């Protein structure tokens, strides 16, 4: 069985070697994203492993004609794949799950960095400015933290935060008994109203698109801090910028942003940026931005590759695949 692997980074190679041996599969590997011009990579393959590049109609048609029967995205999110069209073509799609600790720990780190104004402290240190002006922080134990989305990652964030003694409010349309020992489920309106800091752990679906918008920002506490380690589409970026400019939002940590697609994971140091929102936000001293790296640990990368190859094999062999999306 031959599997095409796209966007293979150098740090992924050792895991692809290990798991291709374990599952006895041959790989056709490229570091490039999948496009219509590199169709030859899928020659002789029946499955493809991808990451965040949009997988749209044209590509699906081209891959189908080359014999691709299943696609696995080495990510939890699968909003970059045209699922409906894949289904029409009879191509199955699966995603992966990986250790929730990776994003949960990164979230707690950025929460602490945000409330302790770490971006300002670190940038000042670089220029030998050791003054205390405007870097006094807050203690988490005195804060109310709202967690939107209590899937695996949201629940882990709640468990990790419980050690800090803060009050934790949670919102999810599907409430979990296990979360109730650490947090109180409330309505979204109450969560907006009562939280000093809100962290998002929801998928990018219709109901979460721009859930942070001008209206919901008005319902939040003045001076709220927002943490988004999930998907850029959850926050209306223009509305967030306005709220940061007016001070209604006091700080933000964003590992994701709308339209990050072709930018993150590339080196643009010598390029003039065309993404104005990103330029504005990253210039703000109270906005901590990272390039979608919350997932990036040894453990998570190993899981991503392991489960991607495992589900390609399961799909092709017709065996049970717990990671099947469609
Ligand atoms: C996911 O797995 O959905 C992520 O957010 C990480 C990925 C973009 C590499």
């Amino acid at each position: 069985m031959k599997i095409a692997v796209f966007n293979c980074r150098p740090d992924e190679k050792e895991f692809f070697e290990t798991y291709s041996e374990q599952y006895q599969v041959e790989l056709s590997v490229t570091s490039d994203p999948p496009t219509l011009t590199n169709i030859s990579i899928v020659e002789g393959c029946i499955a493809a492993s991808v990451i965040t590049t949009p997988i749209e109609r044209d590509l699906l048609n081209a891959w189908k004609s080359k014999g691709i029967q299943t696609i696995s995205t080495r990510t939890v999110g699968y909003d970059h794949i045209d699922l409906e069209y894949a289904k029409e073509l009879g191509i199955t799609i699966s995603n992966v799950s990986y250790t929730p600790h990776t994003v949960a720990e990164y979230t707690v780190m950025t929460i602490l960095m945000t409330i302790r104004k770490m971006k300002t402290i670190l940038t000042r240190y670089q220029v030998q400015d050791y003054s205390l002006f405007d870097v006094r922080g807050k203690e988490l134990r005195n804060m109310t933290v709202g967690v939107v989305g209590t899937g695996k990652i949201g629940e882990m964030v709640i468990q990790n935060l419980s050690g800090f003694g803060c009050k934790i409010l949670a919102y999810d349309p599907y409430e979990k008994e296990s979360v109730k020992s650490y947090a109180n489920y409330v309505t979204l309106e109450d969560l907006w109203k009562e939280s000093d800091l809100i962290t998002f752990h929801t998928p990018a679906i219709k109901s979460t698109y721009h859930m942070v918008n001008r209206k919901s920002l008005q319902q939040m506490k003045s001076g709220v801090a927002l943490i988004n380690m999930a998907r850029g589409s959850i926050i209306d970026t223009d509305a967030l910028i306005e709220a940061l400019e007016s001070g209604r939002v006091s700080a933000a940590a964003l590992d994701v942003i709308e339209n990050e697609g072709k930018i993150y994971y590339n080196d643009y140091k010598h390029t003039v940026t065309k993404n104005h929102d990103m330029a504005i936000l990253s210039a703000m001293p109270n906005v901590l931005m990272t390039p979608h790296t919350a997932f990036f640990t040894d453990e998570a990368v190993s899981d991503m590759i392991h489960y991607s190859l495992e589900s390609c094999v399961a799909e092709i062999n017709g065996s049970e695949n717990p990671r099947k999306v469609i």
Side-chain angles (χ1 to χ4, degrees):
M1 180 186 307
K2 197 168 164 192
I3 302 174
V5 174
F6 290 90
N7 294 92
C8 180
R9 302 184 308 267
D11 68 278
E12 290 184 305
K13 283 203 172 117
E14 57 167 315
F15 298 113
F16 271 115
E17 273 162 27
T18 305
Y19 293 114
S20 61
E21 223 168 86
Q22 181 175 325
Y23 289 104
Q24 296 284 294
V25 291
E26 199 188 326
L27 302 179
S28 168
V29 182
T30 176
S31 56
D32 293 333
T35 62
L36 287 172
T37 51
N38 61 17
I39 297 292
S40 60
I41 301 291
V42 305
E43 207 72 62
C45 298
I46 44 180
S49 173
V50 302
I51 54 164
T52 49
T53 315
I55 308 291
E56 288 158 355
R57 280 174 170 252
D58 290 353
L59 200 61
L60 288 167
N61 281 330
W63 283 4
K64 176 77 184 174
S65 70
K66 290 285 181 193
I68 293 293
Q69 296 174 22
T70 189
I71 299 171
S72 157
T73 178
R74 308 191 292 283
T75 55
V76 175
Y78 44 81
D79 46 300
H80 50 291
I81 303 178
D82 186 338
L83 295 183
E84 261 173 44
Y85 196 63
K87 195 172 181 184
E88 242 175 72
L89 292 181
I91 296 178
T92 61
I93 306 291
S94 44
N95 69 341
V96 294
S97 57
Y98 46 83
T99 147
H101 297 271
T102 180
V103 178
E105 288 176 8
Y106 200 92
T107 303
V108 174
M109 174 185 76
T110 57
I111 289 175
L112 293 170
M113 289 180 81
T114 300
I115 64 175
R116 299 303 295 267
K117 306 193 177 181
M118 194 51 71
K119 181 173 173 181
T120 303
I121 293 173
L122 290 177
T123 44
R124 281 194 195 165
Y125 203 96
Q126 300 297 313
V127 293
Q128 303 191 56
D129 174 354
Y130 313 119
S131 61
L132 290 177
F133 171 70
D134 212 18
V135 289
R136 198 171 68 200
K138 286 190 164 62
E139 294 178 21
L140 206 41
R141 69 191 168 94
N142 289 324
M143 298 176 70
T144 298
V145 177
V147 178
V148 180
T150 57
K152 281 194 197 135
I153 294 173
E155 179 172 2
M156 187 61 64
V157 168
I158 288 172
Q159 279 181 28
N160 289 348
L161 283 177
S162 68
F164 289 91
C166 47
K167 181 173 174 192
I168 308 174
L169 303 178
Y171 171 78
D172 196 295
Y174 308 99
E175 298 189 0
K176 278 167 144 178
E177 280 312 307
S178 50
V179 165
K180 292 183 184 169
S181 355
Y182 303 101
N184 292 328
Y185 277 108
V186 292
T187 63
L188 203 47
E189 288 68 29
D190 285 345
L191 187 143
W192 294 156
K193 231 187 319 172
E194 291 171 33
S195 305
D196 300 303
L197 180 145
I198 304 172
T199 180
F200 295 88
H201 302 287
T202 59
I205 49 177
K206 238 185 189 169
S207 59
T208 62
Y209 179 77
H210 282 188
M211 73 190 305
V212 176
N213 52 40
R214 286 183 181 82
K215 183 167 171 233
S216 55
L217 282 163
Q218 277 310 314
Q219 293 171 302
M220 291 176 199
K221 259 193 182 175
S222 182
V224 67
L226 300 179
I227 310 293
N228 188 5
M229 303 288 125
R231 282 294 181 267
S233 61
I234 293 169
I235 298 184
D236 175 346
T237 314
D238 291 340
L240 174 65
I241 291 173
E242 270 173 37
L244 282 158
E245 283 170 348
S246 73
R248 173 140 210 110
V249 170
S250 63
L254 308 172
D255 190 47
V256 288
I257 182 165
E258 288 183 287
N259 308 315
E260 69 182 46
K262 294 206 171 103
I263 300 174
Y264 284 169
Y265 308 148
N266 295 306
D267 181 355
Y268 284 115
K269 61 168 175 292
H270 303 295
T271 312
V272 174
T273 183
K274 289 196 184 92
N275 189 315
H276 294 183
D277 291 342
M278 223 180 240
I280 291 168
L281 286 165
S282 66
M284 292 185 179
N286 50 346
V287 179
L288 181 71
M289 294 186 75
T290 52
H292 208 144
T293 40
F295 78 98
F296 202 38
T297 59
D298 295 344
E299 293 85 347
V301 173
S302 173
D303 284 354
M304 285 162 135
I305 293 161
H306 182 178
Y307 299 137
S308 181
L309 294 189
E310 186 182 67
S311 57
C312 288
V313 170
E315 283 300 315
I316 298 303
N317 290 341
S319 36
E320 167 91 6
N321 179 14
R323 298 181 182 84
K324 189 185 190 90
V325 177
I326 53 145

